[in-house]
């Protein structure tokens, strides 16, 4: 069948990660966008759950919050924190959402977490407003993109170098002093190409700080430069090089301190005055050099060398009178009284400790991948063999300042230099290797996957600020060989069935005690896909059986045993669910009008199935921040190249915030988030082929609920906020 043959060819190209954007020349040695999936049509024949958001999908909504972007993808969960998605909490199929620490996050195929192995919490995240595309992959093919294979991988695409001189400028303004500017320009001339890009975004924020004239917003800036060289077509060795340079910075007046429920009900956008001086300040520099070497028409070697440096200092309130702010807010919720008054600033308090959460990260490595197509009899094979050597580290030197609260004002008392957990170095060395084979046997595509991970981690703490005396050392090793098998049956031009099983792995963090095992799981999925020009559907059931569930402990997300560093292992768990994704043109008129509809729905049920050794987690406990139902519906009316009007409505079930939420006899009053529904609208008018204007309103019905209780108190989603913008291409 013609369509089947075309889809198989697409799948082969996609598996080689050489999918090309239309603006690129068709040269065999050219470095093309580093896609892990390809176009949405290509996912029809992938032997696992896969979803693609194209550049057109992103541009039609102009979202700058990655949580809002990922609502369109089934099987992906998120926990909002500050309303803007600065430090996203993303999970896949129950893998956990703690700072996205169990998802393989990549940009152009390179891991972007500050220290993916030693400290995988994603305190850095690129500005979502500059994304060119988003790819989400689950299933057996995930073994190609570790280290975290329990859930899946997400690859964010940056703006590619165009084949001809061209550029874009997008300016946007909105409520709360919001401003955004995004611009790029690039060209290809002969053997050389380049692209320069800038994305700047700022806002005064939507929260009001008690007794303060400071804002609660942020200023974030991203700069990207790319330079490419490719050998002439007449060269004996066909190859290409691309250098990518990145710099980003952020200053955000954000805090870990939330609200008590009493105060949330009165004013969800309030912030306590004692958080007035809290501020995150960070910057990141990254460089990567990518090389493509073409041995033959069906064989190529893709390699990349990368180094990322990330420095951050989140100066924020950590404790009050010797008690962590999470426990302090919890006590104020339960009892009110003096602690509630202290939070409001109407009662004095002593010993308010503000910590310089100062950390310096380095992440570097080299990865290479050989792709080779060959045929054995009538069976076409696409073989991928790859390896990566990676090193990362996080250096914490975190002094503290002590204040008193007197008559509602902060009065400085003293400073303390760091020792112990606030003065430590963590690092990890990791060696990975993988083999993936896609075999095309008639109407079947069979995928076999193997991945090997060897992770050695160490940490060292000093007993004195000058780092002359080591107070403790830890080291750990996780080694695992994982396998996966998947199959897709192309029934006809429109229908395909899929099934797959693979072993999942998530290494323990660098402060883990010796013998702490990695998280391990066996993941199953099965379902079907339907594809035609104006309608596509994915319906996939999944089941994950976790042999060992771990949590990387942090101040933002303490472990059930109370630790805020290291890793806790707490037994076995199971996660099961259903993902549904629909894309359709519900109606199309002769005059070019059309009604697009997109639906993403996820049902999930997860629970602990075995007691932890220390009994901090029990059989039957729920998994935190895992909604049972998650849905997003986008619909509207549009006329191609003229105008469009879209509405997106998303629903998120209330979630338990810890494992003990549903235990018999437990009160859930302060242990659950709220159900909430958010509606966003956006309208775009094309002035001409090169210019468009748009207006959008986030949370059009201004519904604010408790979307999170971590860290340290109730937190709202962003209120109704309007924006207008203009985009010009040239």
């Amino acid at each position: 069948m013609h369509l089947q043959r075309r889809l198989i060819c697409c799948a082969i190209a996609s598996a080689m990660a050489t999918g090309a954007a239309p603006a690129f020349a068709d040269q065999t040695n050219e470095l093309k966008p580093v896609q892990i999936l390809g176009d949405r049509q290509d996912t029809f024949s992938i032997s696992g759950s896969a979803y693609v958001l194209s550049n057109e999908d992103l541009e039609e909504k102009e979202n700058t919050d990655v949580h809002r972007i990922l609502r369109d993808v089934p099987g992906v969960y998120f926990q909002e924190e500050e309303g803007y998605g600065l430090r996203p909490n993303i999970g896949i199929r129950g893998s956990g959402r703690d700072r996205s620490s169990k998802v393989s996050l990549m940009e152009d195929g390179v891991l972007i977490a500050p220290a993916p192995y030693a400290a995988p919490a994603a305190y850095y995240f690129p500005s979502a407003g500059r994304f060119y595309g988003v790819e989400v992959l689950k299933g057996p093919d995930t073994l190609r993109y570790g280290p975290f294979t329990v859930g899946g991988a997400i690859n964010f695409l940056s703006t590619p170098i165009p084949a001809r001189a061209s550029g874009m400028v997008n300016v946007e303004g909105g409520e709360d002093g919001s401003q955004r500017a995004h611009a790029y320009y690039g060209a290809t001339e002969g053997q050389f190409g380049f692209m320069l890009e800038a994305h700047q975004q700022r806002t005064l924020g939507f929260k009001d700080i008690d007794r303060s004239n400071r804002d609660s917003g942020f200023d974030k800036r991203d700069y990207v430069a790319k330079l490419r060289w490719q050998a002439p077509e007449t060269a004996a060795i066909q190859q290409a090089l691309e250098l990518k340079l990145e710099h980003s910075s952020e200053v955000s007046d954000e805090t870990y301190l939330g609200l008590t429920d009493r105060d949330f009900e009165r004013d969800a956008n309030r912030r306590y005055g004692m958080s007035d001086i809290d501020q995150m300040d960070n910057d990141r520099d990254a460089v990567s050099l990518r090389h493509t070497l073409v041995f033959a028409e069906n064989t190529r070697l893709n390699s990349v060398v990368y180094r990322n440096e990330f420095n951050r200092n989140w100066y924020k309130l950590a404790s009050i009178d010797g008690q962590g702010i999470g426990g302090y807010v919890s006590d104020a919720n339960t009892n009110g009284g003096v602690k509630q008054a202290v939070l409001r600033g109407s009662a004095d308090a002593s010993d308010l400790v503000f910590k310089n959460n100062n950390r310096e990260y380095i992440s570097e490595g080299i990865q290479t991948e050989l792709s080779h197509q060959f045929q054995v009899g009538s069976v076409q094979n696409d073989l991928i063999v790859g390896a990566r050597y990676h090193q990362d580290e996080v250096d914490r030197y975190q002094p503290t300042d002590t204040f008193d609260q007197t008559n509602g004002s902060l009065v400085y008392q003293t400073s303390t230099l760091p020792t112990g957990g606030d003065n430590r170095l963590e690092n990890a060395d990791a060696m990975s290797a993988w083999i993936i084979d896609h075999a095309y046997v008639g109407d079947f595509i069979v995928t076999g996957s193997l991945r090997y991970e060897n992770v050695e981690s160490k940490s060292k703490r000093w007993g004195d600020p000058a780092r002359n005396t080591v107070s403790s050392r830890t080291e750990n090793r996780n080694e695992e060989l994982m396998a996966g098998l998947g199959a897709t049956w192309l029934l006809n031009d429109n229908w395909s069935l899929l099934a797959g099983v693979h072993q999942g792995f998530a290494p323990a963090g660098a402060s883990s005690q010796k013998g702490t095992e990695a998280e391990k799981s066996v993941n199953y999925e099965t379902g079907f896909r339907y594809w035609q020009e104006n309608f596509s559907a994915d319906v996939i059931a999944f089941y994950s059986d976790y042999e060992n569930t771990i949590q990387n402990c942090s101040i933002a997300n303490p472990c059930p045993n109370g630790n805020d560093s290291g890793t806790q292992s707490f037994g076995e768990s199971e996660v099961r669910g259903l993902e549904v994704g629909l894309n359709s043109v519900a109606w199309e008129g002769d005059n070019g009008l059309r009604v697009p509809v997109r639906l993403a729905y996820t049902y999930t049920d997860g629970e602990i199935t075995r007691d932890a050794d220390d009994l901090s987690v029990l059989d039957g406990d729920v998994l935190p921040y895992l909604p049972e139902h998650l849905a997003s519906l986008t619909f509207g009316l549009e006329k191609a190249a003229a105008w469009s009007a879209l509405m997106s409505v998303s629903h998120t079930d209330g979630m338990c915030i810890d494992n003990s939420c549903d235990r018999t006899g437990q009160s859930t009053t302060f242990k659950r988030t709220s159900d909430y529904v958010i509606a966003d609208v956006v309208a775009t008018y094309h002035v001409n082929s090169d210019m468009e204007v748009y207006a959008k309103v986030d949370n059009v019905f201004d519904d604010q609920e408790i979307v999170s209780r971590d860290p340290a108190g109730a937190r709202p989603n962003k209120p109704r906020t309007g924006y207008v913008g203009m985009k010009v291409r040239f």
Side-chain angles (χ1 to χ4, degrees):
M1 289 173 257
H2 177 70
L3 178 59
Q4 279 184 263
R5 289 194 296 270
R6 183 158 60 91
L7 288 171
I8 290 175
C9 291
C10 288
I12 294 173
S14 171
M16 291 183 65
T18 57
F24 281 71
D26 187 22
Q27 294 167 303
T28 58
N29 65 341
E30 183 167 7
L31 278 167
K32 300 173 183 177
V34 186
Q35 295 169 285
I36 65 174
L37 295 176
D39 297 329
R40 181 176 298 155
Q41 178 180 318
D42 297 341
T43 64
F44 182 83
S45 53
I46 289 177
S47 59
S49 175
Y51 208 88
V52 173
L53 295 176
S54 67
N55 188 48
E56 291 74 18
D57 294 330
L58 300 183
E59 286 190 337
E60 71 180 11
K61 293 186 178 181
E62 292 292 345
N63 281 322
T64 59
D65 182 346
V66 70
H67 293 135
R68 275 181 153 79
I69 291 172
L70 292 176
R71 283 175 178 161
D72 287 337
V73 182
V76 178
Y77 317 94
F78 50 85
Q79 171 206 334
E80 295 193 58
E81 186 170 320
E82 80 297 306
Y84 295 106
L86 297 177
R87 279 159 287 280
N89 298 281
I90 302 168
I92 295 179
R93 291 183 175 175
S95 64
R97 84 289 172 233
D98 306 334
R99 289 281 188 268
S100 313
S101 61
K102 290 186 189 173
V103 176
S104 294
L105 295 178
M106 300 174 286
E107 181 174 325
D108 297 333
V110 174
L111 296 170
I112 61 173
Y117 286 87
Y123 284 96
Y124 161 78
F125 199 80
S127 294
R130 70 171 176 83
F131 290 162
Y132 191 80
V134 180
E135 304 172 304
V136 181
L137 178 66
K138 312 160 203 144
D141 274 298
T142 305
L143 294 185
R144 185 179 171 190
Y145 304 103
F148 308 102
T149 62
V150 291
I154 303 178
N155 186 42
F156 302 104
L157 302 178
S158 67
T159 304
I161 298 174
R164 54 188 176 275
S166 59
M168 184 277 295
V169 175
N170 183 12
V171 292
E172 178 182 292
E175 295 181 88
D176 300 322
S178 299
Q179 302 174 35
R180 182 167 77 102
H182 181 204
Y184 66 81
Y185 178 76
T188 298
E189 185 67 34
Q191 295 171 234
F192 292 92
F194 76 95
M195 192 278 301
L196 300 174
E197 180 176 30
H199 185 277
Q200 300 182 1
Q201 184 179 4
R202 66 180 63 173
T203 180
L204 298 178
F206 60 87
K207 295 181 181 179
D208 298 316
I209 305 174
D210 293 350
R211 305 174 301 281
S212 174
N213 57 6
R214 292 185 61 182
D215 62 63
S216 59
F218 67 90
D219 187 337
K220 195 170 191 297
R221 307 181 180 208
D222 283 37
Y223 304 97
V224 181
K226 294 182 179 181
L227 178 64
R228 183 184 64 222
W229 170 85
Q230 57 192 47
E233 294 185 43
T234 56
I237 300 177
Q238 291 294 300
Q239 59 183 320
L241 283 167
E242 182 175 287
L243 176 67
K244 179 183 177 185
L245 303 173
E246 303 171 72
H247 173 75
S248 67
S249 64
E250 175 197 325
V251 176
S252 54
D253 297 314
E254 284 297 339
T255 179
Y256 268 22
L257 184 62
L259 297 171
T260 63
D261 283 32
R262 296 180 190 86
D263 290 331
F264 188 97
E265 291 170 3
R266 295 175 182 177
D267 182 2
N269 298 324
R270 177 183 186 176
R271 246 179 69 178
Y272 296 130
M274 60 178 63
S275 71
D276 180 41
I277 57 177
D278 289 13
Q279 185 178 84
M280 162 69 90
D281 189 350
N282 68 52
D283 62 83
R284 178 180 185 263
D285 292 291
V287 58
S288 62
L289 180 63
R290 192 175 301 275
H291 180 244
T292 291
L293 182 61
V294 181
F295 295 104
E297 185 177 349
N298 60 349
T299 306
R300 69 171 57 201
L301 183 69
N302 292 297
S303 305
V304 61
V305 181
Y306 58 90
R307 179 181 172 90
N308 307 320
E309 296 181 1
F310 179 63
N311 302 313
R312 53 153 277 195
N313 185 11
W314 197 342
Y315 186 75
K316 61 182 184 291
L317 179 65
S319 63
I320 304 171
D321 195 20
Q323 184 179 18
I325 56 174
Y328 202 92
V329 172
S330 180
D331 288 350
N333 260 331
T334 305
N335 302 314
V338 174
K339 290 188 175 181
Q340 177 70 81
V342 167
L343 291 170
R344 292 174 178 171
S346 57
D348 293 347
S350 61
D351 196 23
L352 277 68
V353 176
F354 288 77
K355 180 185 290 187
N356 287 275
N357 279 270
N358 179 50
R359 305 176 191 175
E360 297 180 0
Y361 298 83
I362 295 176
S363 172
E364 59 188 4
I366 179 170
Q367 63 187 45
T368 187
E369 195 170 70
L370 178 70
S371 302
H372 177 61
Q373 297 177 34
F374 63 96
Q375 192 153 340
V376 179
S378 61
V379 179
Q380 173 72 33
N381 288 268
D382 176 16
L383 180 66
I384 301 164
V385 180
R388 177 175 66 214
Y389 177 69
H390 176 97
Q391 292 181 317
D392 59 43
E393 71 173 37
V394 52
D395 189 344
R396 305 172 194 247
Y397 190 85
Q398 304 178 151
T400 59
D401 299 327
T402 302
F403 291 75
D404 287 346
Q405 179 173 265
T406 305
N407 297 324
S409 298
L410 294 172
V411 181
Y412 172 79
Q413 299 298 313
T414 185
S415 297
T416 304
L417 294 178
T419 59
D422 290 334
N423 190 351
R424 72 184 192 261
L425 178 67
E426 301 165 303
N427 55 64
D429 289 354
M431 184 67 195
S432 312
W434 55 92
I435 301 175
I436 314 291
D437 184 46
H438 300 86
Y440 302 86
V441 186
D443 291 332
F444 287 88
I445 304 173
V446 180
T447 299
S449 310
L450 283 175
R451 184 179 185 87
Y452 171 75
E453 285 275 2
N454 188 336
V455 185
E456 295 184 358
S457 61
K458 297 179 181 179
S459 72
K460 181 165 53 176
R461 302 186 179 198
W462 283 272
D464 65 302
R467 295 189 167 182
N468 294 318
T469 304
V470 175
S471 60
S472 68
R473 298 176 186 267
T474 64
E475 60 180 49
N476 193 35
R477 179 180 177 184
N478 293 150
E479 184 179 21
E480 192 69 21
L481 178 65
M482 296 152 274
L485 181 65
T488 299
W489 182 13
L490 303 175
L491 294 173
N492 54 39
D493 288 359
N494 305 109
W495 292 91
S496 68
L497 301 179
L498 66 92
V501 57
H502 77 279
Q503 294 171 289
F505 172 85
S511 281
S512 305
Q513 296 296 322
K514 189 171 185 178
T516 302
E517 295 186 2
E519 182 163 280
K520 300 176 186 178
S521 64
V522 180
N523 309 285
Y524 306 86
E525 63 178 4
T526 185
F528 67 86
R529 293 191 180 97
Y530 179 83
W531 186 90
Q532 64 177 21
E533 186 175 356
N534 285 332
F535 180 80
S536 64
D538 296 67
V539 179
I540 298 174
F542 63 89
Y543 171 74
S544 297
D545 185 0
Y546 286 81
E547 172 188 336
N548 182 44
T549 308
I550 67 170
Q551 180 178 334
N552 293 314
C553 314
S554 66
I555 296 175
N557 297 288
C559 286
N561 61 10
N563 289 344
D564 58 16
S565 66
T567 300
Q568 183 184 359
S569 175
F570 47 82
E572 301 175 3
S573 64
E574 296 178 357
V575 180
R576 59 188 66 83
L578 180 70
E579 302 170 354
V580 178
L582 302 176
N583 285 277
S584 172
V585 177
W587 175 81
E588 190 167 12
D590 295 335
N591 57 357
L593 287 177
R594 42 190 271 154
V595 177
V597 177
R598 175 184 294 158
L599 171 68
Y601 168 76
T602 307
Y603 165 77
T604 314
D605 176 35
E607 66 176 3
I608 299 294
T609 56
R610 183 179 178 182
D611 295 351
D613 292 340
D614 62 3
L615 300 182
S616 59
V617 176
L618 304 178
D619 181 11
D621 280 356
V622 298
L623 299 178
Y625 285 103
L626 188 64
E628 185 176 8
H629 300 283
L630 190 64
S632 176
L633 175 66
T634 298
F635 59 93
L637 185 65
E638 63 183 18
K639 186 172 184 178
W643 55 268
S644 66
L646 296 173
M647 172 175 276
S648 297
V649 182
S650 65
H651 165 80
T652 304
D653 262 3
M655 298 172 280
C656 285
I657 69 169
D658 63 31
N659 300 88
S660 67
C661 178
D662 280 354
R663 288 181 188 171
T664 303
Q666 285 276 351
S667 172
T668 62
T669 304
F670 304 114
K671 290 194 171 188
R672 292 188 65 88
T673 63
S674 306
D675 293 352
Y676 65 102
V677 176
I678 299 297
D680 301 335
V681 296
V682 58
T684 304
Y685 176 72
H686 295 260
V687 178
N688 54 47
S689 59
D690 297 321
M691 179 179 177
E692 63 189 61
V693 293
Y694 62 87
K696 62 177 183 174
V697 180
D698 291 343
N699 193 5
V700 65
F701 298 119
D702 200 25
D703 182 20
Q704 287 187 280
E705 303 291 345
I706 298 175
V707 298
S708 175
R709 292 184 180 274
D710 289 309
R715 293 171 173 270
N717 53 297
K718 186 172 68 173
R720 179 171 54 228
T721 311
Y723 307 86
V724 293
M726 178 179 67
K727 182 180 294 184
V728 178
R729 295 180 175 85
F730 55 92

